[in-house]
Amino acid sequence: LIVGERDDLLVKEFEAENINIFDRLCFDGKTPLDIQLRYRSAPVRGSISITGGDRFAVKLAEAAYGITPGQAVVAYREDRIVGGGWIS
């Protein structure tokens, strides 16, 4: 058990694995994307860069709470899904 403050749960960068990419040009680390972290949560602005064959790194514009390994992350550009994976 680890005890801490709520702000200790804020995360601004993380990686995902077992990824699917539908628009590789959006994963350049610069293109602004809407990052969906939970099914019913509002998307968070960020960018994604491919780090390996089956992984990418996500950088959020603002830190988010409760990013947990095993959860899905989905990236959108406007109303189109451009990729996703599982938070590692």
Side-chain angles (χ1 to χ4, degrees):
L1 176 64
I2 298 173
V3 178
E5 300 294 323
R6 185 177 198 297
D7 285 348
D8 293 338
L9 298 174
L10 284 170
V11 175
K12 209 168 175 182
E13 297 181 15
F14 61 92
E15 288 197 355
E17 59 190 3
N18 299 323
I19 62 172
N20 290 299
I21 299 173
F22 305 114
D23 188 346
R24 187 169 288 277
L25 297 177
C26 291
F27 287 69
D28 60 1
K30 299 174 188 169
T31 302
L33 300 170
D34 291 320
I35 310 295
Q36 185 80 37
L37 299 167
R38 281 176 209 76
Y39 174 66
R40 293 192 183 264
S41 67
V44 179
R45 207 64 167 158
S47 62
I48 295 178
S49 3
I50 298 171
T51 58
D54 197 27
R55 297 180 70 83
F56 59 62
V58 179
K59 290 185 181 180
L60 303 175
E62 295 182 23
Y65 285 103
I67 295 172
T68 307
Q71 289 181 320
V73 57
V74 180
Y76 294 85
R77 177 110 192 247
E78 298 171 5
D79 63 346
R80 189 172 46 105
I81 295 175
V82 294
W86 300 99
I87 297 172
S88 54

